[in-house]
Amino acid sequence: MAAGLCPGRALLSRRGGALWALLGTARGRAAGPETHFGFQNVSEAERREKIYQVFENVAEKYDVMNDSMSLGIHRVWKDILVHKMNPSPGTLLVDVAGGTGDIAFRFLNYVRSVRERQLQQKLRHHQNLSWQEISKSYQEEKSNPLGDSQVVVCDINKEMLKAGKKRAQHLGYSEGLSWVLGNAEELPFDDDKFDVYTIAFGIRNVTRIDLALQEAYRVLKPGGRFLCLEFSHVSNPLLSRLYDLYSFQVIPVLGEVIAGDWKSYQYLVESIRRFPPQEPAMRLFETRQCKPSMSRTFQLVAVCCSARPTAVRACRSCVLLSSVSPHVGGRKCDKL
């Protein structure tokens, strides 16, 4: 017989192979539906674990690598996001996947600047006051430079939050800033809590984007705004080839040289390629009442902005946003 097996052993071998195949399938099903990690096909549970490890590995050098990979342009992109947000004193912001605090710090700077301008305008309109009254008013206003604005940085990765807190302490940010360990797919916040929700270069690393969007609209107040900053595909063929060359041949090398981690930065490049182009990505954020707007920057980055409709509510048990009616797609939602 082939390979010298007797008929009985050959039968046991075939049965054993079938059994192992069945067990492998069962393990795959237990781990959850299949998705992708870069260019690899993995289960949802594996993807979450691998992405956690990526950001655990890169946290310490995250800001240095951002500067190296984008030649510092990521700072401009984040400035554009905050200017598009245009927060006023009193704004409550949650920055999900906020990592090392880049958006949060910009938000605080912006609000403080707006508050200062408001104070100057107020003083100009009260020129008939005495110096003592002006001084008293100025001191009262200066004691609350953010006008009760707050930003909560929420990230699933402990090392990223640790790096962010360290940066905040070094740069002198403390007032109006808090850090929360939390999953974008199940945020640890009450309903209708925030005026603005931001997620910068983080949505593509979320395994269940539908759940993350559901949670975003749940924690936003009616009329609150959702802003997403993410890499997009380059439409120009020449620029696309150059971008691919830089992404796959240069960025992983920089990751190895600066952070000692080739694989993590290889994933980050691959994750950008796996994220949908602009138009399909836009459809992810649409609801029946809400049509998001998008602006492109350098053909590489898209800023998506949408507002939570005042007549829409969301709950943890519904994948889609529902109307005020407790029925969603013919299914009764007992959470509303």
Side-chain angles (χ1 to χ4, degrees):
M1 293 191 62
L5 290 175
C6 71
R9 287 183 177 175
L11 180 61
L12 287 172
S13 176
R14 286 195 296 273
R15 287 179 175 174
L19 178 61
W20 280 112
L22 183 62
L23 288 174
T25 302
R27 281 198 300 271
R29 287 175 179 170
E34 191 175 82
T35 182
H36 61 82
F37 174 78
F39 294 156
Q40 302 175 42
N41 291 325
V42 296
S43 70
E44 288 186 354
E46 287 176 302
R47 185 180 195 270
R48 290 187 178 96
E49 183 179 346
K50 285 177 177 290
I51 290 175
Y52 189 93
Q53 290 172 352
V54 164
F55 286 94
E56 190 173 54
N57 293 340
V58 305
E60 189 175 343
K61 298 287 186 178
Y62 186 75
D63 295 310
V64 176
M65 277 304 302
N66 276 346
D67 283 331
S68 301
M69 288 193 305
S70 69
L71 304 178
I73 299 175
H74 76 99
R75 299 173 183 269
V76 177
W77 297 332
K78 291 169 182 173
D79 286 341
I80 290 171
L81 179 71
V82 174
H83 278 80
K84 192 173 183 69
M85 185 197 312
N86 190 26
S88 57
T91 299
L92 301 181
L93 166 68
V94 58
D95 183 34
V96 177
T100 53
D102 267 1
I103 299 298
F105 302 155
R106 282 168 170 77
F107 167 83
L108 293 173
N109 290 341
Y110 193 98
V111 170
R112 190 174 285 113
S113 176
V114 172
R115 179 73 167 167
E116 185 69 27
R117 289 197 302 270
Q118 289 179 346
L119 175 58
Q120 291 173 358
Q121 291 173 355
K122 182 178 179 180
L123 292 177
R124 280 198 297 268
H125 285 107
H126 292 81
Q127 293 179 354
N128 58 334
L129 295 178
S130 67
W131 282 110
Q132 291 81 4
E133 290 172 323
I134 292 175
S135 177
K136 182 181 178 182
S137 176
Y138 184 78
Q139 291 301 323
E140 288 175 353
E141 296 289 348
K142 288 292 285 185
S143 65
N144 186 18
L146 297 174
D148 297 322
S149 289
Q150 294 279 334
V151 54
V152 178
V153 179
C154 181
D155 202 293
I156 197 173
N157 195 287
K158 293 180 181 178
E159 291 302 313
M160 292 293 286
L161 287 176
K162 182 179 176 182
K165 291 177 183 178
K166 186 176 179 181
R167 263 189 88 202
Q169 185 177 12
H170 176 72
L171 296 172
Y173 292 99
S174 58
E175 187 178 354
L177 174 64
S178 57
W179 307 82
V180 173
L181 185 69
N183 185 348
E185 298 173 15
E186 192 171 357
L187 294 172
F189 307 117
D190 294 334
D191 298 357
D192 306 336
K193 184 174 180 65
F194 298 100
D195 300 300
V196 184
Y197 173 115
T198 55
I199 182 165
F201 304 118
I203 197 76
R204 73 180 189 280
N205 297 310
V206 175
T207 299
R208 289 287 304 276
I209 294 177
D210 57 340
L211 295 182
L213 294 175
Q214 170 196 325
E215 284 292 271
Y217 282 92
R218 180 184 66 80
V219 302
L220 279 172
K221 298 175 183 178
R225 290 186 300 152
F226 170 93
L227 285 89
C228 175
L229 179 66
E230 191 54 83
F231 286 103
S232 60
H233 292 217
V234 181
S235 56
N236 183 288
L238 177 59
L239 287 177
S240 180
R241 285 195 292 272
L242 291 173
Y243 184 47
D244 281 345
L245 180 66
Y246 179 73
S247 296
F248 289 99
Q249 302 301 322
V250 177
I251 290 178
V253 175
L254 288 175
E256 181 65 31
V257 172
I258 296 175
D261 191 342
W262 178 294
K263 290 183 178 179
S264 292
Y265 286 91
Q266 181 71 26
Y267 158 73
L268 293 175
V269 170
E270 292 177 1
S271 70
I272 294 170
R273 293 301 173 277
R274 290 300 300 261
F275 194 69
Q278 291 95 327
E279 281 69 24
M282 284 283 287
R283 288 194 287 271
L284 291 173
F285 307 120
E286 289 183 359
T287 70
R288 285 171 297 176
Q289 291 95 340
C290 180
K291 299 297 180 184
S293 62
M294 180 179 68
S295 61
R296 296 184 182 88
T297 308
F298 308 124
Q299 293 194 349
L300 295 178
V301 175
V303 180
C304 180
C305 178
S306 61
R308 173 185 158 182
T310 55
V312 169
R313 296 180 61 196
C315 72
R316 292 183 188 277
S317 65
C318 302
V319 173
L320 297 176
L321 294 177
S322 66
S323 65
V324 173
S325 167
H327 292 82
V328 184
R331 217 165 22 89
K332 189 176 190 305
C333 173
D334 56 5
K335 300 291 183 182
L336 295 177

